[in-house]
Amino acid sequence: MSQFTDWDILRNLLLAARWTVLLSLIAFAGGSIVGLLLTFMRISRRRSLIWVTRIYIEIFQGTPLLMQLFIAFFGLGLLGIDVSAWTAAALALTLFSSAFLSDIWRGCVESLPKGQWEASRCLGLNYLQTMRYIILPQALRIAIPPTVGFSVQIVKGTALASIIGFVELTKAGTMLNNATFEPFKVFALVALIYFLLCYPLSRASQYLEERLNVAGKRA
Amino acid sequence: MSYQLNFGALLDYQDVLLDGLWMTVKLTLISTVLGILLGVLGAAARRHRNAALRHLSKAYVELIRNTPFIVQLFFVFFGLPAIGIKMTAIEAGVLALVINLGAYLTEIIRAGIDATPKGQLEAARTLGLSSRQIFIRIVLPPAFQRVYSAVVSQCIIVMLGSAVVSQISVPELTFAANFIQSRNFLSFESYLVAALFYLILAFLMRLAFNLIGARAFSRKEKTL
């Protein structure tokens, strides 16, 4: 049996952390695309569309991410689609993030004063033009800090993919723990790497929010 | 695509499911109560005169909020026994849930405290109240009321997060679903039913908190 030095543990964890980062990026990109679609549905004036997105968000915010992962992993298999842990994790995290992101973004659009819409109407802009030139540019500015903040939740969410067998940082931690019997050291290192990934994002979100508030006060 | 969903077969395991559900409810109740207490203490420390306490509270909040719950859980369950702190799976689960909820609530309640009008503090000091009296009687109740809805949301998030505790073999709802699907291979049905239970729990929790909030906060306004 081979012995693990501290450097071996750290090196393997860092190698596995690449998958945590990649899965986070995919979930964030996928979640943004689906979330944007949902946001447009939610702020449309069609009642049916609004209800569909409401129920979607309610379901994904009201059930554990772990359940969503299990259902994606086992449920898709039943439909005859062969899913790897990788696909299931990417899919579940995408849907999960899209629900939260669209909820955040809807709030940003709705926080704009009603006068903006009325003024655009008076200037003869149609719905799409109002969106494109008036609403979205302003909403985007407000949306950046909470979106960056939510990305921390995505990085932390990827840790649950370890449970369906996707080898990322947490799974590598449990495997190394089984090999070295040094849980205190291994999980402290795992936590440290997550912290190093998430803390800069948290700080960036805070910083952006403070800057936005200052800019808002000056205007 | 010839698969037939078979929910009927789950009825054989309804005891397992209901026991799991009850365990999730118990875990949630205990960790909510203790978590709120820890959150209040953390927020008090965060605004304490003692700088060491302030830094400690801040470090605690940042450390917990920037690491995944499952890693915290594994650290408590596997890591702490390695340095001599032994506990059962349920104790480890509760401890991890409380530590996690406490950190988020510290930050939420602190925000409520910071919104206290300065005049109230000055008035309280003029009346000769001690700083402990000021915190407990003047600052905390309205601060808690201000952030109540955020506190409720966080408690629900922790209830959903308790699903992860199944990974250290605490027999709660997710563990029950895992157990059932390992017996009858009806994985999709088991998890769907468990997910439905979580959805109902989240709904009931919000309802219960709203009722408690309505009673607690309306009574206060009457006496004022």
Side-chain angles (χ1 to χ4, degrees), chain A residues 99-122:
Chain A
F100 280 86
L101 285 173
S102 75
D103 213 23
I104 292 171
W105 294 341
R106 174 189 59 84
C108 296
V109 171
E110 283 179 357
S111 72
L112 293 176
K114 223 178 154 200
Q116 300 274 340
W117 287 93
E118 291 164 354
S120 311
R121 189 61 41 79
C122 292

Side-chain angles (χ1 to χ4, degrees), chain B residues 107-159:
Chain B
E107 192 65 6
I108 291 171
I109 295 169
R110 181 198 55 81
I113 289 174
D114 286 353
T116 307
K118 223 177 164 194
Q120 293 195 357
L121 292 177
E122 290 164 354
R125 219 165 289 140
T126 313
L127 288 170
L129 297 181
S130 72
S131 52
R132 176 171 302 179
Q133 283 173 321
I134 293 177
F135 183 75
I136 294 175
R137 291 170 182 266
I138 310 294
V139 176
L140 194 56
F144 199 74
Q145 185 174 359
R146 248 174 246 132
V147 294
Y148 189 66
S149 68
V151 170
V152 173
S153 299
Q154 196 56 46
C155 291
I156 292 175
I157 289 174
V158 164
M159 184 275 288

Side-chain angles (χ1 to χ4, degrees), chain B residues 22-33:
Chain B
W22 178 228
M23 177 60 91
T24 293
V25 171
K26 280 193 288 186
L27 284 175
T28 308
L29 279 177
I30 298 173
S31 44
T32 300
V33 171

Side-chain angles (χ1 to χ4, degrees), chain A residues 93-160:
Chain A
L93 281 164
T94 294
L95 298 181
F96 169 81
S97 337
S98 72
F100 280 86
L101 285 173
S102 75
D103 213 23
I104 292 171
W105 294 341
R106 174 189 59 84
C108 296
V109 171
E110 283 179 357
S111 72
L112 293 176
K114 223 178 154 200
Q116 300 274 340
W117 287 93
E118 291 164 354
S120 311
R121 189 61 41 79
C122 292
L123 289 170
L125 299 178
N126 66 28
Y127 179 78
L128 282 178
Q129 285 171 326
T130 310
M131 270 292 170
R132 164 77 182 76
Y133 295 107
I134 311 295
I135 302 299
L136 289 185
Q138 299 183 75
L140 194 70
R141 226 171 56 105
I142 313 173
I144 289 173
T147 304
V148 174
F150 182 73
S151 67
V152 176
Q153 305 294 329
I154 297 181
V155 175
K156 292 192 292 178
T158 62
L160 293 185

